[in-house]
Amino acid sequence: MSAAQGGVLFQEKVSRLLSRKNGKPTLKPNRPLVLKDAVANRKPKKGEATCITEMSVLMACWKQQNFVDALCSNEISSFYTCVQEAQAAARNKSDQTSFEGGRLPPKQANALLKRYPNLRSEI
């Protein structure tokens, strides 16, 4: 079945739902049956936290050493190296994938929808 046939079948089904014959209830849409030219601008979900173990080791060291940085220099340096590695990995991930999960980000989707707007007439 081609896309044109599918569109015609869909239009016939909608017209049947909108008609009053056969004693069926009438479908009364509260909004026009046309897609919008924009999507909601939602922020992507944040990933999981990184360097939690290094941070907890650092805080435990601080507590044992009365919050003296000089006595916990190894833990501080390991925490900062972990943070730098996590930031570098996040940058590489954002450069490699422009969209996640097979979906376009809202900004790109809105740009495409503005370039190719939907038909404004109802079925």
Side-chain angles (χ1 to χ4, degrees), residues 42-46 93-94 96-108:
R42 295 182 178 147
K43 293 182 181 178
K45 293 179 181 176
K46 297 285 184 185
K93 184 179 178 186
S94 66
Q96 288 175 356
T97 58
S98 60
F99 54 94
E100 65 283 339
R103 294 185 175 195
L104 287 173
K107 198 171 188 179
Q108 289 180 354

Side-chain angles (χ1 to χ4, degrees), residues 1-36:
M1 177 168 44
S2 68
Q5 288 175 335
V8 170
L9 292 175
F10 178 73
Q11 288 177 353
E12 289 175 3
K13 186 174 183 179
V14 169
S15 65
R16 262 187 280 125
L17 288 171
L18 290 172
S19 70
R20 285 191 181 269
K21 65 182 178 181
N22 298 333
K24 293 182 180 177
T26 304
L27 174 68
K28 295 180 181 178
N30 57 358
R31 293 184 179 154
L33 297 175
V34 180
L35 295 175
K36 292 184 178 181

Side-chain angles (χ1 to χ4, degrees), residues 83-95:
V83 168
Q84 288 174 351
E85 290 171 1
Q87 287 176 344
R91 272 189 237 111
N92 290 338
K93 184 179 178 186
S94 66
D95 291 345

Side-chain angles (χ1 to χ4, degrees), residues 50-59 62 69-70 72-89 91:
T50 56
C51 305
I52 297 293
T53 56
E54 287 83 356
M55 187 186 315
S56 61
V57 168
L58 173 61
M59 290 185 180
W62 274 339
D69 284 343
C72 298
S73 60
N74 291 338
E75 289 82 0
I76 292 172
S77 63
S78 68
F79 174 68
Y80 280 133
T81 55
C82 179
V83 168
Q84 288 174 351
E85 290 171 1
Q87 287 176 344
R91 272 189 237 111

